[in-house]
Amino acid sequence: MTTLSASTKEKLKTVSTPTIATCLYKKGFKNQFIQDVKPLQLGKPTMVGEAFTLRYIPAREDRNPLTVFRNADHPQRVAIESCPVGCVLVMDSRKDPRAASAGDILVTRLMVRGAAGIVTDGGFRDSASIAKLPFPSYHNRPSAPTNLTLHEALDINIPIGCGDVAVFPGDVVVGDDDGVIVIPAHIADEVAAECVEMTLYENFVLEKVAQGSTIIGLYPPTNEENLVAFENWKKNK
């Protein structure tokens, strides 16, 4: 499934979601940052991977007794066991964290299988245990009830909505301490390249501002002298 190049993946690991958001805005994409979703634990390496999706619908009591988890073809279990290595499992939980999208056993299994991370606009149970895993995990807030009380896992790897953002299978998902952003697959390479250059300039700006420089003409770079200074700065770095 994966088409994300190693080069693009490594570039995206070095840039922030705010920088990506600005780059996407320049290209006309205004709604790519997943709303009301945050990392369970700050300080983990940046998550980068292609989206593999799971969609939940409202649960109906006759379809979702606890015994359905015995079914080998239960979509939640199948998604965990089929998410490709290096991909991010993104779940549409209807922005409802009252019941858990998954717990620590399933998330651990996903990690061991080699996924790049997991995102839900709902909640996780066993959130303290998940937070301790060396695995990027993002949700709305902790939740104890099993997903069956409110959610039915139905569709795997189809276009979904997660936190008010459209997510298509294969889109590139990036997560850091600020949150999660979705890059349309067809522009991932150019976004990564532009964001690396944007990050370099922002580092230059931060250094200049810390030294007392005004932001006028520097950020954004409307003064040509600052662009010349930036090129010299890059050579020295």
Side-chain angles (χ1 to χ4, degrees):
M1 168 185 167
T2 59
T3 60
L4 178 63
S5 72
S7 174
T8 292
K9 184 174 184 178
E10 290 307 310
K11 288 175 184 175
L12 290 172
K13 285 183 177 181
T14 69
V15 301
S16 70
T17 54
T19 297
I20 295 171
T22 300
C23 182
L24 289 172
Y25 177 64
K26 290 177 180 178
K27 297 180 181 299
F29 294 89
K30 301 177 182 179
N31 185 44
Q32 298 302 121
F33 189 78
I34 295 179
Q35 298 298 305
D36 301 320
V37 165
K38 54 188 176 294
L40 274 71
Q41 180 66 50
L42 297 174
K44 293 186 178 179
T46 298
M47 174 186 74
V48 181
E50 290 174 282
F52 184 83
T53 65
L54 175 65
R55 183 174 75 99
Y56 287 98
I57 64 170
R60 198 176 74 187
E61 287 76 5
D62 63 327
R63 290 176 55 88
N64 289 277
L66 193 60
T67 52
V68 301
F69 279 155
R70 296 177 179 271
N71 299 337
D73 59 353
H74 186 273
Q76 185 197 48
R77 269 54 178 164
V78 172
I80 294 293
E81 293 292 340
S82 58
C83 179
V85 172
C87 287
V88 176
L89 179 58
V90 184
M91 294 184 282
D92 173 3
S93 291
R94 304 179 299 114
K95 299 174 62 180
D96 188 350
R98 292 177 299 159
S101 303
D104 59 354
I105 293 175
L106 270 63
V107 175
T108 299
R109 174 59 179 163
L110 190 66
M111 177 188 71
V112 170
R113 291 195 59 255
I118 187 169
V119 179
T120 178
D121 60 2
F124 289 126
R125 65 195 303 184
D126 314 311
S127 58
S129 296
I130 295 173
K132 294 176 183 177
L133 295 173
F135 188 65
S137 304
Y138 296 79
H139 73 169
N140 180 293
R141 62 172 172 79
S143 182
T146 175
N147 64 288
L148 297 175
T149 60
L150 290 174
H151 307 310
E152 177 181 345
L154 191 68
D155 295 312
I156 297 173
N157 217 31
I158 64 164
I160 62 169
C162 183
D164 292 326
V165 174
V167 183
F168 290 80
D171 281 349
V172 178
V173 183
V174 181
D176 59 14
D177 285 353
D178 285 306
V180 180
I181 197 160
V182 181
I183 306 172
H186 66 283
I187 59 171
D189 292 342
E190 60 183 280
V191 167
E194 290 179 26
C195 284
V196 167
E197 187 69 12
M198 288 174 62
T199 299
L200 279 173
Y201 187 73
E202 288 168 358
N203 290 340
F204 165 73
V205 169
L206 281 170
E207 188 175 300
K208 296 289 286 184
V209 170
Q211 293 169 356
S213 295
T214 177
I215 59 170
I216 305 302
L218 176 65
Y219 188 72
T222 55
N223 187 328
E224 186 67 27
E225 292 180 0
N226 287 317
L227 292 175
V228 173
F230 172 54
E231 292 303 321
N232 292 330
W233 178 86
K234 282 197 297 183
K235 292 176 183 177
N236 293 329
K237 293 293 180 179

